């Protein structure tokens, strides 16, 4: 084999996957058809559970330092209304204002530090597979060549050629609407008043927030002390746009004129992006030695969730691929990637389709629905529930075995850990992306079982405040594979731990 895994696509999902594979001791090769990183910010930020995972890899500070804009208040759009977490001391969702080009640069730099081979300007022209390998034809700057690998992962976006070559159906819906999002400067002739409204010469006042018209939806957000304004339009169109064709200021102005009926003078663009909404999910995320992740596997009809879902796909998949390549993967381990992440994708599809229903209605009944929904979000419990749904933190993977602790399948909490050497936390132990066993109650019976897997699982004896369980077995993707209840009897906990260790990490 030339390499262990070929990753097609050097977007956030592909680069995250390549970095995780290197942490797991695997040789990935990333092939990207574009010769340079794109400057067009398809996404303007990163939010949801992936931020917690970046913290568990020791990367969050680095990503936060790259944010030149202030971190926004925790208030997020949801189908024409808002999830407003500003009154909560511990919001269920956070976001970083990190435009996608900057995000890709950070992930590219990390991949380089880990020794990943990223080849830009190398277009995959054909893929085939047999029982032993994947064979990939590539057209590079110096001509065509062929490369082989144990596995291939298509991270090549919504129009994935890898998905087509694998014959994986991609059913769903394309909605007849075009969304345009921009940050631009304003000329001196346009005034931002104290409440965020715009005074436009020859037209009058444009109200801050969202304005619905017979032609679509217009949104504006501005600060009186800034000459930068955020603009958003939605209108129904049948036009097919190429993602590689950037939006222009003229195109944005034409859209504003159609939707709002006003000529809005604009200055210099800071961010311009255009996107259409599709609700599609691949029927399966694996076909033999070919797998899908990110937009190649799912498209959601709402903003702010695709990066979170795609990068979490990568983290879930990487350690399982590594286990298969290193030869210790239990039977069926790689298939759990589809089982778990297809479930997570379907959950994300649920709330993004609900957003379509909320935002697309324009009659009084639709307005009433949005008003009632917004009233429900005034109460803390439903607000937190919706926040967890959008952030993806409510996902519970189904863990095998007959005994299930309430924490099993959940993302591991970042417990403060006390040891003889000082204070640490779960996040610090996860930096190397290895599975960990935490003995939280000084259980030598459980350590004796876990010690048999020490070549693959780190074993730690620690104490923590407000102990949630006697012990935790945490996978490399930070999900809890097994937990022992407080004072769980030896005869119950020991066999269950052995079953979980062998089920996830093979024969010792």
């Amino acid at each position: 084999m030339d390499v262990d895994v070929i990753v097609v696509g050097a977007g956030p999902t592909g680069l995250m996957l390549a970095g995780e594979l290197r942490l797991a001791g695997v040789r990935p090769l990333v092939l990207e058809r574009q010769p340079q990183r794109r400057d067009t910010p398809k996404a303007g930020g990163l939010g949801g559970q992936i931020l917690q995972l970046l913290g568990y890899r020791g990367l969050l500070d680095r990503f936060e330092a790259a944010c030149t804009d202030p971190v926004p208040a925790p208030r997020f759009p949801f189908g024409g209304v808002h999830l407003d977490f500003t009154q909560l001391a511990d919001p269920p969702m956070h976001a970083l204002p990190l435009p996608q080009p900057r995000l890709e640069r950070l992930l590219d730099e990390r991949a380089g530090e880990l020794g990943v081979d990223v080849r830009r300007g190398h277009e995959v022209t054909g893929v085939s597979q047999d029982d032993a390998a994947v064979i990939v034809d590539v057209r590079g700057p110096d001509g065509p060549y062929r490369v082989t690998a144990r596995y291939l992962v298509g991270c090549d976006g919504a129009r994935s050629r890898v998905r087509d070559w694998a014959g994986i159906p991609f059913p769903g819906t394309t909605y007849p609407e075009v969304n345009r999002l921009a940050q631009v400067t304003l000329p001196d002739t346009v005034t931002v008043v104290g409440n965020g409204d715009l005074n436009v010469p020859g037209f009058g006042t444009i109200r801050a927030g969202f304005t619905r018209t017979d032609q679509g939806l217009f949104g504006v957000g501005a600060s009186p002390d800034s000459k930068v304004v955020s603009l958003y339009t939605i209108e129904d169109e049948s036009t097919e746009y190429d993602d590689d064709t950037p939006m222009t200021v003229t195109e944005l102005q034409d859209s504003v004129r159609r939707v709002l009926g006003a000529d809005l003078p604009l200055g210099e663009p800071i961010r311009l992006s255009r996107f259409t909404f599709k609700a599609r999910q691949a029927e399966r995320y694996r076909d033999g030695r070919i797998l899908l992740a990110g937009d190649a596997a799912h498209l959601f009809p709402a903003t702010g969730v695709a990066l979170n879902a795609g990068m979490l796909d990568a983290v879930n998949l990487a350690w399982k691929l590594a286990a298969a390549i290193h030869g210790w993967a239990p039977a069926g381990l790689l298939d759990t990637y589809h089982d778990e992440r297809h479930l997570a994708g379907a959950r994300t599809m649920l709330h993004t389709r609900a957003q379509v229903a909320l935002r697309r209605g324009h009659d009084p009944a639709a307005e009433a629905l949005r008003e009632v929904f917004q009233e429900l979000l005034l109460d803390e419990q439903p607000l937190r529930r919706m926040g967890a749904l959008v952030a993806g933190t409510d996902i519970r993977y189904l863990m095998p075995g007959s005994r299930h602790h309430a924490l099993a399948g959940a993302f591991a909490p970042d417990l403060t850990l006390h040891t003889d050497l000082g204070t640490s936390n779960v996040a610090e132990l996860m930096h190397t992306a290895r599975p960990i066993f935490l003995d939280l109650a000084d259980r030598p019976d459980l350590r004796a079982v876990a010690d048999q897997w020490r070549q693959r699982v780190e074993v730690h004896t620690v104490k923590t405040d407000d102990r949630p369980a006697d012990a935790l077995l945490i996978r490399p993707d930070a999900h809890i594979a097994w937990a022992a209840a407080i004072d769980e009897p030896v005869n119950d906990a020991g066999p269950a731990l052995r079953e979980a260790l062998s089920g996830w990490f093979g024969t010792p």
Side-chain angles (χ1 to χ4, degrees):
M1 299 295 169
D2 297 309
V3 293
D4 293 323
V5 179
I6 294 172
V7 178
V8 182
T13 297
L15 291 171
M16 187 73 188
L17 175 62
E20 290 286 300
L21 288 170
R22 283 300 298 140
L23 287 177
V26 168
R27 300 173 301 145
L29 167 64
V30 181
L31 300 174
E32 168 57 54
R33 67 182 180 89
Q34 296 289 343
Q36 302 293 333
R37 288 195 302 265
R38 295 183 182 88
D39 293 329
T40 304
K42 291 177 63 178
L46 191 62
Q49 191 174 74
I50 189 59
L51 296 182
Q52 294 174 271
L53 195 285
L54 291 173
Y56 281 28
R57 292 295 185 263
L59 297 172
L60 187 57
D61 289 346
R62 182 172 175 176
F63 280 59
E64 289 176 338
C67 298
T68 56
D69 297 327
V71 176
R75 188 170 184 268
F76 303 96
F78 188 94
V81 298
H82 279 86
L83 306 178
D84 190 345
F85 306 119
T86 55
Q87 302 306 310
L88 300 179
D90 55 338
M93 183 168 174
H94 298 272
L96 289 181
L98 194 62
Q100 188 163 328
R102 201 174 306 159
L103 168 64
E104 291 184 8
R105 177 176 57 79
L106 291 170
L107 291 170
D108 203 6
E109 290 173 355
R110 177 178 181 253
E113 293 163 3
L114 293 171
V116 175
D117 184 0
V118 179
R119 301 181 188 176
R120 297 185 182 276
H122 290 248
E123 181 179 5
V124 175
T125 58
V127 171
S128 61
Q129 62 173 317
D130 56 30
D131 291 340
V134 180
I135 303 95
V136 179
D137 292 313
V138 186
R139 183 170 54 241
D142 298 325
Y145 64 97
R146 176 170 287 182
V147 62
T148 61
R150 294 278 299 279
Y151 293 95
L152 178 144
V153 185
C155 304
D156 52 340
R159 294 183 172 91
S160 172
R161 297 177 74 187
V162 169
R163 187 184 61 233
D164 292 341
W165 284 319
I168 298 175
F170 198 41
T173 303
T174 298
Y175 295 97
E177 61 184 64
V178 177
N179 295 251
R180 294 177 174 88
L181 181 64
Q183 286 182 304
V184 295
T185 62
L186 292 174
D188 292 336
T189 54
V190 179
T191 304
V192 182
V193 298
N195 63 356
D197 291 351
L198 303 183
N199 282 336
V200 180
F203 179 79
T205 299
I206 297 178
R207 182 168 56 88
F210 292 104
T211 300
R212 293 183 180 276
T213 72
D214 291 339
Q215 284 68 45
L217 181 70
F218 174 81
V220 59
S223 172
D225 57 356
S226 173
K227 274 297 182 179
V228 176
V229 61
S230 296
L231 299 176
Y232 184 48
T233 66
I234 302 178
E235 52 182 327
D236 283 0
E237 291 186 47
S238 58
T239 307
E240 280 285 333
Y241 290 96
D242 187 338
D243 291 342
D244 293 333
T245 303
M247 186 175 78
T248 64
V249 171
T250 299
E251 180 184 332
L252 174 65
Q253 287 178 311
D254 290 343
S255 179
V256 171
R257 185 182 305 111
R258 289 191 298 268
V259 173
L260 196 61
D263 285 312
L264 178 60
L266 299 176
E268 294 299 316
I270 298 170
R271 175 193 178 192
L272 294 172
S273 60
R274 174 209 316 110
F275 48 94
T276 55
F277 277 138
K278 300 179 177 66
R280 297 187 181 276
Q281 187 171 24
E283 286 189 358
R284 56 188 187 278
Y285 288 5
R286 180 188 180 191
D287 182 82
R289 295 182 174 273
I290 299 174
L291 300 102
L292 304 176
D295 287 352
H298 42 62
L299 291 173
F300 306 116
T303 58
V305 294
L307 286 180
N308 182 47
M311 293 172 71
L312 290 174
D313 288 346
V315 176
N316 184 287
L317 176 58
W319 72 273
K320 297 172 183 178
L321 273 177
I325 289 165
H326 293 318
W328 56 259
L333 177 65
L334 198 49
D335 289 328
T336 67
Y337 168 65
H338 166 87
D339 296 340
E340 294 179 347
R341 293 310 298 168
H342 199 275
L343 168 70
R347 185 77 176 153
T348 304
M349 194 72 73
L350 175 70
H351 78 74
T352 52
R353 278 176 165 156
Q355 292 190 53
V356 172
L358 278 173
R359 76 170 182 260
R360 281 187 63 78
H362 299 289
D363 60 6
E367 293 288 353
L369 176 62
R370 285 187 286 268
E371 184 175 343
V372 169
F373 191 84
Q374 193 74 75
E375 280 191 22
L376 291 174
L377 296 178
L378 295 176
D379 295 333
E380 182 173 343
Q381 191 277 336
L383 180 61
R384 287 190 178 278
R385 188 180 186 94
M386 293 304 300
L389 178 61
V390 175
T393 56
D394 67 339
I395 296 296
R396 297 291 187 274
Y397 297 143
L398 180 62
M399 294 293 117
S402 56
R403 303 179 62 85
H404 292 290
H405 190 280
L407 288 174
F411 195 85
D414 190 16
L415 303 173
T416 299
L417 306 175
H418 308 290
T419 72
D420 293 340
L421 300 178
T423 300
S424 181
N425 53 30
V426 170
E428 187 173 342
L429 296 183
M430 298 295 299
H431 286 186
T432 59
R434 283 174 55 82
I436 60 174
F437 174 77
L438 297 181
D439 175 7
L440 302 173
D442 195 13
R443 294 280 301 262
D445 57 307
L446 299 181
R447 288 200 305 277
V449 175
D451 279 341
Q452 299 175 56
W453 276 264
R454 270 190 180 271
Q455 77 275 27
R456 294 179 204 138
V457 179
E458 295 183 2
V459 179
H460 300 272
T461 302
V462 295
K463 295 181 180 179
T464 188
D465 305 321
D466 300 320
R467 175 164 50 102
D470 271 7
L472 297 175
L473 177 62
I474 305 175
R475 305 184 325 186
D477 60 352
H479 280 264
I480 297 172
W482 173 88
I486 302 292
D487 298 326
E488 186 170 349
V490 174
N491 291 339
D492 292 334
L497 173 58
R498 184 180 301 277
E499 181 183 16
L501 284 162
S502 61
W504 289 111
F505 308 115
T507 304

